[in-house]
Every structure is written in structure tokens, then in C-alpha cells.
Amino acid sequence: MTDRSGLTEAELAAELRAFLAEHHPGRAPKDPGERLAFLQAWQATLFDHGWAGPGWPPRWGGMGLPLPLQAVYHREMAAGRAPVPPNNIGGIVGPTILTCGTDEQRARWIPPLLRADELWCQGFSEPDAGSDLTSLRTRAVRDGDVYRVTGRKVWISGAVHADWMLCLTRTGSQESGAAGITCLALDMHAPGVRASRLRDMTGGAHFAEVEFDDVEVPVSHRIGAENEGWAAARATMGHERSTSLAASGMRYQRVTRDLLDLARRRGQADDPHVRDRLAQAVTGARLLEWSGQRVLARVLEGGEPGPLASVIRLQHGVFEQQLHTLAVDLLGPYAQLDAADPALASGERHDGNWLRGFLRTRASTIGAGTSEIQRTTIADKVLGLPPEAGNSRSTR
């Protein structure tokens, strides 16, 4: 594995640009199955050439880059329009295993996760436990060297194609709350696991409902101690709401430039009201990048994202929605056309992607904890405000 941690920012940028010029695979296919295989192959290429996991320890296949070089890495990948990983769960689950797992677990799961040889999903939300995660009901009962898992998870991204699930289960009493939760690595191909696709408003089926019927999970697949899975859950949610969004903040620098280009092509770039909204978008993208770097710095120093995770998650969700709302406003009636619609000229096919983004980001203030939950956490943990009467302030 090539050690690039001692390079200057300019040297790393030059090396990465040269790599992308030689190995960039082009645009991903539209077909979902072909797209997944394409993205897995690209992730394997990154791993095999030492360009995967910029902030992950070299011992487990990462690059071990210091924070300034991580920023360069993500900026160059975004500028080069490099394909994204097969799903964003790897960047959430991986740090959790690195933080809470054993060396044996890290050696078993981290390299194939980082190379995308094995795909993961995150089994947290349930029909009756979304934002109030501590009330989850999926039960794991110890039976010798295995846990027997029974229950149901819902709105699970990528579950249909996943090989493993980072699954929160109830091992204590139902009244035990966070103190009775255990985190398990559950084999999605094990007998008793059934995943059913859920179609969303974009027309895609990225989510699934997953049922467990007496699924056996080896005790050796437990992440952390029994009844102490809430620590793993907090680590996962912290990365989901913070470090995994840092790269997204840098990608939005490019997306914002695409938005500026759209305004010019639509002849609206000189409209004062539009220019004001564009300036807000540019400022928001930059603030999102800086917030991500701030949280990354804290994590790399050995700390947890803490309540800053809620700040950046709220910031990200609101920004995504505002950005795509502006895009569909610029498109006017053309915003109703999908990218495949024949009414769009060949050079304007990507304009239809704004509609998909607009529909997709309606969920940005729901996923990974609703905006209401984030605001409550910020009020409590950051601003130190007293709780409202009757508000128990959920830990989700």
C-alpha cells in the first residue's frame, strides 16, 4: 500500500488527478443492477490502487491521510466527477466497527467492506421505533453461542443487495431503553431473513422492509458488549450525521457550480432575486464543507462528533432541500420532465436529474433523525436551553 500521508496538498492533488485521468470509468449505467456492479468495480479499483478510505487506518486498508489531505482528496474526487461508492453505509458502518469492534472483527469485515466485495446496510429504524430509537422491539435472545433474532426493520437503505446488516436488537427488557440494546453484525443471507423492496416517490426502490424469523447470529458477531449497543448506535449515528457528510459537503461545491450553469443557460443569472438565492447556495455549500472539516478534525483527534453531528445533519438536510427547490424554480415547467423524457434535448438530459434530486431530498430532513430531533439535541446539548414542558427529549 502506497503511503501518501507525507505528501503536500499539491502533490496529492496531482497524483489523484493523474489516477483519475487513467482509471476513471465514465458515467454509471442507468440500470440498477448494472449500476451496482459498476460502482462495486470502481470501489475495488480504488482499493487496489491505494485510493480508498482516505481517513481510515492503513492497517485495515485505508490511506491514513491527515485532515488537510482528506479535504484535498474529497475535493479532487468531486471535481473529477468520480463515481460514488455503491452506497453510503460503508462510510457509516466502517467507522463504527473500527471504533467499537475487536481486531478480529476489523480484520474480517473492514477490508472487504472498503473494497465493496461485501455490502452493508444499517438496521436501526422499525415501524414503531424511528426517531425514538430506544423503544426498538427487534429481540435477540442468547442461546449458547448464538443469538436468536426475531423482529422487523423498515426503511433500510440497500438491504436487498446487502451481505451484512449492522443491527440493533433488544436484549434487555422492553422498559430498559438504551440500556438494553445490543449491536450485532447480522448475515443477510442467513435463514430466516427476508427483505422486501419499498418504492419511494422518485420511482426507485432503494429502501426495504426486513423481517427476521428466529435468525441465528453468532455471539462472536456482537459489536461491543451485550446491552451496551447504544454506544455503537451513537457512534454510527454520529458518523452518519457528520463524517459521512463531509465528503458530501465538498461534492456540493460542484453541484452548486452546476446550478450556476443552469441559471445561465436559462437566462436567469442576472435576475437580482435569483442572484441572491444563488449567493445563498454558494455560501451554504462552503459552510457545509467547513462544518464537515470541523467534525472530521474532532474525530481524527480521537473524539466523538458529539452534538456537532446534529448541527451538520440539520444544516445538510435543509441545504439540500433549498438547493433543489431553487433548481426546479429555475427550470419552471421543464422541472416536471424526467431525465429520460424525449422532450429534453440530448444536451439537457442532466436537467431532468434535478427533479429526481428534488423528490429525493424531501426525505433529507427525516433520515438519520428528523430535523425536529436535531433541533431538540442542539437546544439541549449545544445551547443548554431548558426542555419544553412534557418533552422528554429523545436520544435519537
Side-chain angles (χ1 to χ4, degrees):
M1 189 72 67
T2 303
D3 182 6
R4 298 184 176 92
S5 60
L7 296 178
T8 66
E9 295 184 19
E11 290 170 341
L12 182 72
E15 279 198 24
L16 184 49
R17 288 172 192 164
F19 169 80
L20 291 175
E22 181 178 355
H23 296 280
H24 198 298
R27 296 178 65 87
K30 296 293 185 182
D31 177 79
E34 294 178 2
R35 179 181 177 85
L36 178 61
F38 171 92
L39 295 177
Q40 283 185 275
W42 170 243
Q43 188 67 23
T45 298
L46 291 175
F47 184 89
D48 293 344
H49 288 80
W51 287 107
W56 294 23
R59 179 182 180 186
W60 311 116
M63 299 177 67
L65 296 180
L67 182 62
L69 293 186
Q70 287 187 52
V72 172
Y73 175 95
H74 291 302
R75 191 175 297 116
E76 292 299 326
M77 293 290 274
R81 297 182 182 270
V84 297
N87 59 35
N88 70 334
I89 302 301
I92 298 168
V93 170
T96 301
I97 297 175
L98 288 170
T99 302
C100 304
T102 65
D103 275 354
E104 291 77 13
Q105 291 171 340
R106 297 177 186 117
R108 165 62 186 89
W109 286 314
I110 292 299
L113 182 157
L114 193 52
R115 197 176 185 272
D117 292 332
E118 295 178 340
L119 300 178
W120 285 69
C121 62
Q122 175 187 333
F124 283 20
S125 295
E126 299 183 2
D128 298 314
S131 292
D132 184 16
L133 189 57
T134 57
S135 65
L136 65 87
R137 295 180 176 273
T138 294
R139 178 155 292 279
V141 177
R142 180 78 177 262
D143 182 11
D145 293 333
V146 302
Y147 288 98
R148 296 188 176 276
V149 179
T150 302
R152 191 157 50 125
K153 301 290 182 178
V154 73
W155 301 116
I156 308 302
S157 300
V160 172
H161 302 291
D163 300 294
W164 294 92
M165 172 187 282
L166 189 73
C167 185
L168 293 186
T169 63
R170 172 70 58 196
T171 45
S173 67
Q174 191 58 46
E175 294 74 29
S176 61
I181 292 175
T182 298
C183 183
L184 302 175
L186 185 147
D187 184 351
M188 291 293 287
H189 305 292
V193 179
R194 185 166 69 90
S196 305
R197 294 178 183 271
L198 297 174
R199 192 169 298 278
D200 62 29
M201 66 191 301
T202 69
H206 311 292
F207 299 103
E209 182 175 18
V210 183
E211 297 180 68
F212 311 109
D213 182 10
D214 197 32
V215 179
E216 292 188 4
V217 179
V219 173
S220 60
H221 289 186
R222 185 183 64 212
I223 309 298
E226 184 172 300
N227 292 329
E228 295 183 10
W230 189 244
R234 291 183 61 185
T236 303
M237 290 186 291
H239 288 289
E240 182 179 16
R241 296 171 181 172
S242 56
T243 55
S244 67
L245 298 178
S248 178
M250 296 176 191
R251 284 196 300 271
Y252 267 116
Q253 297 287 335
R254 173 182 57 77
V255 176
T256 303
R257 290 194 293 272
D258 291 343
L259 186 66
L260 295 173
D261 180 63
L262 175 65
R264 295 187 186 100
R265 288 190 290 105
R266 293 291 171 183
Q268 301 181 59
D270 293 328
D271 182 291
H273 179 62
V274 171
R275 291 176 66 86
D276 181 61
R277 294 177 70 187
L278 290 171
Q280 292 178 30
V282 171
T283 303
R286 185 55 58 86
L287 290 174
L288 195 63
E289 178 183 351
W290 289 344
S291 294
Q293 291 183 13
R294 180 184 179 192
V295 177
L296 271 177
R298 172 172 291 189
V299 171
L300 291 173
E301 290 171 357
E304 289 293 328
L308 282 177
S310 291
V311 175
I312 191 172
R313 184 69 192 91
L314 176 63
Q315 181 185 9
H316 187 274
V318 172
F319 172 77
E320 278 195 322
Q321 291 184 347
Q322 292 176 342
L323 187 76
H324 287 87
T325 298
L326 174 55
V328 297
D329 287 347
L330 292 172
L331 286 167
Y334 287 93
Q336 302 176 67
L337 302 180
D338 186 79
D341 197 295
L344 290 175
S346 60
E348 297 180 331
R349 294 291 187 208
H350 60 281
D351 284 352
N353 292 329
W354 291 111
L355 172 62
R356 296 179 187 177
F358 175 83
L359 295 174
R360 176 184 56 78
T361 56
R362 296 311 91 189
S364 294
T365 49
I366 299 175
T370 65
S371 290
E372 290 78 10
I373 293 296
Q374 311 303 346
R375 289 188 171 97
T376 297
T377 299
I378 293 168
D380 185 13
K381 304 299 184 182
V382 178
L383 301 178
L385 299 178
E388 298 178 15
N391 185 355
S392 60
R393 285 192 173 161
S394 165
T395 52
R396 177 75 164 108

